[in-house]
Amino acid sequence: MPTYIIETKELTKFFGKRNVVYNLNLKVPKGAVYGFLGPNGAGKTTTIKMLTGALKPTYGEIKIIGMEMPRERVKIMRNVGYMPERPLAYDDMTIFEFLVYMGRLLGLPKDKAVNQARELMAYTGVGRLAFNKIEELSSGQRQRVLFASALMGDPELLILDEPTSNLDPLGRMEFIGKILELAKSGKTVFISSHIVSEIERMCNYVGLIKDGQLIEQGKVRDLAKIESTDYDVVVSDNEKLLKFLRDKIYVREVWEEEGIVRVKLDERFSEKFFLELPAFLASEKLAIKLFKPHTSPLERILMKRFNMGWKNGEQ
Ligand SMILES: Nc1ncnc2c1ncn2[C@@H]1O[C@H](COP(=O)(O)OP(=O)(O)OP(=O)(O)O)[C@@H](O)[C@H]1O
């Protein structure tokens, strides 16, 4: 088994004379949730397109699960779930047809593709839209379908390009829970984003890219020295939220301070928080007004390193 599930050496891409990605040495260990973080135009999508074989590098090497990209692309992509940034092109298909089709492309027998499509539609929250055409979906619903499609075939590695950009706050929270859950089941996840707080919540590794160059890579803990997992939450009825959170296994402490519910999570079970909270808020019809990490050391570090403003993107 290779040490790194994704490994690149001096990965470089020119568009004409323009150098968009330069000398990238990515190292993504097995089982990592790796956040590929950089501002708009930094080269994230270009890198991901090279990793998935959609774009040929100008030079450099790429190894995915120990295999060479692009030489072994077909074999590699059977083990990789890819969620592109751009919307789906299969506008005429229903969600169900699309997912079964994607399963068949991966070589799944029809009954298996059908079963997986059903399971994943439920898992990603688009079950009731199964027979809607893709052209009829909202951008957030399309993003859920893309996520379901990336999970078809139970891939070992997920490569997700800005997977939450069209999701609402509850959808984002659910997504974080799912990524943590998938990581627990042993999958390796590579996620590009420019939303620092989101990366901080999901990822244990991070690579920072700016102007096509990797300026930092390593464990989030080492980079940011995050000591605790604290969140600030405000909903339309904080009392109800406090009552709900008080006896939960994933909550170490919870209290209200100046109208804000402060939660300290037990990291061992934090995915439960992200999965159960949205379901609770929806069932109680509580509106969410604020949801953010109490402190964001990674964000402060990034501000310094990039010496620029950074879109937080959180509500
Ligand atoms: N086909 C292309 N031809 C020329 N330039 C390109 C091409 N594709 C991307 N670029 C340029 O390469 C740079 C990096 O683009 P890329 O899409 O990889 O950035 P990104 O980090 O994914 O940005 P964002 O967060 O906005 O999606 C940008 O300046 C972009 O204009």
Side-chain angles (χ1 to χ4, degrees):
M1 207 46 196
T3 323
Y4 297 112
I5 293 291
I6 298 177
E7 188 173 16
T8 69
K9 285 193 184 136
E10 296 179 12
L11 185 63
T12 298
K13 181 72 190 175
F14 279 87
F15 286 117
K17 282 190 181 157
R18 204 156 155 234
N19 191 191
V20 170
V21 172
Y22 184 65
N23 260 350
L24 227 56
N25 295 309
L26 291 173
K27 288 180 169 45
V28 180
K30 184 174 167 50
V33 182
Y34 185 105
F36 192 43
L37 201 54
N40 291 129
K44 302 182 294 295
T45 298
T46 306
T47 303
I48 284 182
K49 283 185 177 165
M50 291 192 281
L51 294 181
T52 52
L55 206 58
K56 212 167 160 246
T58 307
Y59 62 82
E61 286 172 28
I62 304 173
K63 275 204 171 157
I64 311 272
I65 322 178
M67 294 177 273
E68 249 177 69
M69 185 62 103
R71 200 169 59 81
E72 296 172 273
R73 178 168 195 243
V74 175
K75 217 164 138 197
I76 292 173
M77 292 314 281
R78 286 220 172 104
N79 297 291
V80 175
Y82 169 42
M83 186 170 164
E85 191 185 20
R86 294 204 173 276
L88 300 164
Y90 301 91
D91 271 2
D92 260 1
M93 287 187 184
T94 66
I95 296 180
F96 180 62
E97 282 166 354
F98 169 69
L99 291 176
V100 172
Y101 173 70
M102 295 312 274
R104 298 290 280 156
L105 283 185
L106 287 166
L108 296 181
K110 184 139 191 225
D111 57 338
K112 214 166 173 190
V114 164
N115 286 341
Q116 274 198 21
R118 284 205 184 109
E119 276 170 31
L120 289 170
M121 284 188 299
Y123 186 65
T124 54
V126 291
R128 70 191 165 80
L129 302 169
F131 300 106
N132 283 46
K133 282 193 175 174
I134 285 171
E135 65 188 356
E136 297 162 5
L137 305 177
S138 74
S139 50
Q141 289 163 343
R142 280 169 193 243
Q143 210 152 23
R144 286 168 183 266
V145 176
L146 280 176
F147 185 42
S149 156
L151 291 169
M152 285 296 291
D154 196 21
E156 184 175 347
L157 167 65
L158 290 168
I159 298 182
L160 314 174
D161 196 356
E162 306 252 3
T164 61
S165 54
N166 295 313
L167 299 182
D168 56 31
L170 282 188
R172 281 184 180 176
M173 222 188 280
E174 261 176 54
F175 181 84
I176 291 171
K178 291 194 162 93
I179 292 297
L180 295 174
E181 199 173 52
L182 288 163
K184 235 180 199 178
S185 75
K187 301 214 183 295
T188 307
V189 190
F190 183 89
I191 308 175
S192 91
S193 177
H194 52 257
I195 304 175
V196 184
S197 55
E198 217 167 76
I199 290 290
E200 200 164 25
R201 269 181 257 164
M202 278 187 280
C203 301
N204 46 12
Y205 280 79
V206 69
L208 309 181
I209 182 172
K210 185 189 177 192
D211 298 333
Q213 297 191 49
L214 203 59
I215 57 170
E216 196 87 63
Q217 177 174 238
K219 284 189 181 166
V220 172
R221 266 173 188 283
D222 293 345
L223 286 180
K225 304 251 180 316
I226 299 167
E227 279 127 26
S228 61
T229 326
D230 301 355
Y231 292 93
D232 292 350
V233 192
V234 178
V235 297
S236 45
D237 187 341
N238 280 350
E239 259 323 295
K240 272 193 181 165
L241 178 66
L242 279 166
K243 224 183 239 170
F244 170 74
L245 289 174
R246 247 171 213 142
D247 61 340
K248 293 291 178 283
I249 184 175
Y250 45 81
V251 175
R252 282 200 290 129
E253 264 182 82
V254 59
W255 72 100
E256 194 176 14
E257 198 177 295
E258 294 169 356
I260 296 172
V261 176
R262 308 230 193 255
V263 195
K264 277 185 191 290
L265 291 182
D266 183 331
E267 268 183 66
R268 290 170 303 167
F269 311 107
S270 60
E271 81 279 4
K272 286 194 171 29
F273 173 70
F274 293 109
L275 291 170
E276 286 183 14
L277 186 59
F280 167 74
L281 296 177
S283 73
E284 294 291 320
K285 298 198 169 45
L286 296 179
I288 189 154
K289 296 177 176 170
L290 175 87
F291 183 82
K292 67 176 186 60
H294 183 53
T295 50
S296 178
L298 183 59
E299 196 160 357
R300 279 201 299 275
I301 284 178
L302 285 166
M303 288 294 219
K304 267 194 215 152
R305 298 274 158 87
F306 285 95
N307 196 22
M308 60 182 289
W310 193 278
K311 189 181 163 202
N312 185 298
E314 282 299 304
Q315 281 75 7

